[in-house]
Amino acid sequence: MFAKPLEPSEQSEVAQWLRPAEAPLFWGQQVADQRHGLETARKIAARFPGDVELIRAGLLHDVGKREARLSAVGRTFATLAGLAKLPLTTRFRLYRDHGPVGATALAALDAEDLVIAFASLHPGGPPPGMAADRWQVLLDADDD
């Protein structure tokens, strides 16, 4: 199934949460990743409408995937190859490592610590000192 591009109203919804410097990261993602980020952010916003940092962490957590430039089929092969412990091409490694790749890009734009950490570490546990309850909200919203 193919993801629908975001409608103008959805683009406006995303824009209310994005900082201007982050827009190229978000809009440079594949449509499916944009939609997933929006759906994740919406789940968080429904529970915590005023917690923009939490919402932004959900919105931006997969921005590192854009660097791999893989199709849906390529992503499937990258995932399977990783699980099978096969040698990975550069693009497959970028996809596997999309969390740290995205976190580096977000850190360069001075994103909040929670936004950077969730991009880097999801779907794992929180880094030391990070509130476990807020982290769990993010994991629950990112239920692929």
Side-chain angles (χ1 to χ4, degrees), residues 30 32-33 65-66 70-80 92 95:
Q30 292 182 15
D33 295 325
K65 288 182 179 181
R66 74 192 200 301
L70 291 175
S71 67
V73 172
R75 289 173 176 213
T76 300
F77 281 127
T79 300
L80 294 174
F92 282 11
Y95 182 74

Side-chain angles (χ1 to χ4, degrees), residues 114 117-118 121-122 124-127 130-139:
L114 178 63
F118 192 62
L121 300 173
H122 76 283
M130 189 72 61
D133 58 336
R134 288 170 53 84
W135 194 266
Q136 192 60 50
V137 168
L138 292 166
L139 292 175

Side-chain angles (χ1 to χ4, degrees), residues 6 10-18 26 29 32-63 115 118 137-144:
L6 301 187
E10 293 172 316
Q11 293 173 18
S12 294
E13 190 176 354
V14 166
Q16 74 178 324
W17 296 316
L18 280 179
F26 183 84
Q29 296 180 106
D33 295 325
Q34 292 174 15
R35 182 150 301 283
H36 172 66
L38 174 57
E39 290 170 1
T40 302
R42 282 177 168 168
K43 290 175 189 175
I44 296 163
R47 292 185 57 203
F48 301 95
D51 196 333
V52 177
E53 181 182 41
L54 204 60
I55 294 166
R56 289 167 39 69
L59 183 68
L60 295 167
H61 72 282
D62 279 338
V63 296
V115 174
F118 192 62
V137 168
L138 292 166
L139 292 175
D140 291 346
D142 181 31
D143 63 1
D144 293 331

Side-chain angles (χ1 to χ4, degrees), residues 61-68 70 75 78-79 82 88-105 116 118-123:
H61 72 282
D62 279 338
V63 296
K65 288 182 179 181
R66 74 192 200 301
E67 295 297 326
L70 291 175
R75 289 173 176 213
T79 300
L88 300 177
T89 66
T90 299
R91 289 173 58 194
F92 282 11
R93 276 193 311 274
L94 280 170
Y95 182 74
R96 177 197 64 197
D97 298 338
H98 75 273
V101 169
T104 298
I116 295 165
F118 192 62
S120 181
L121 300 173
H122 76 283

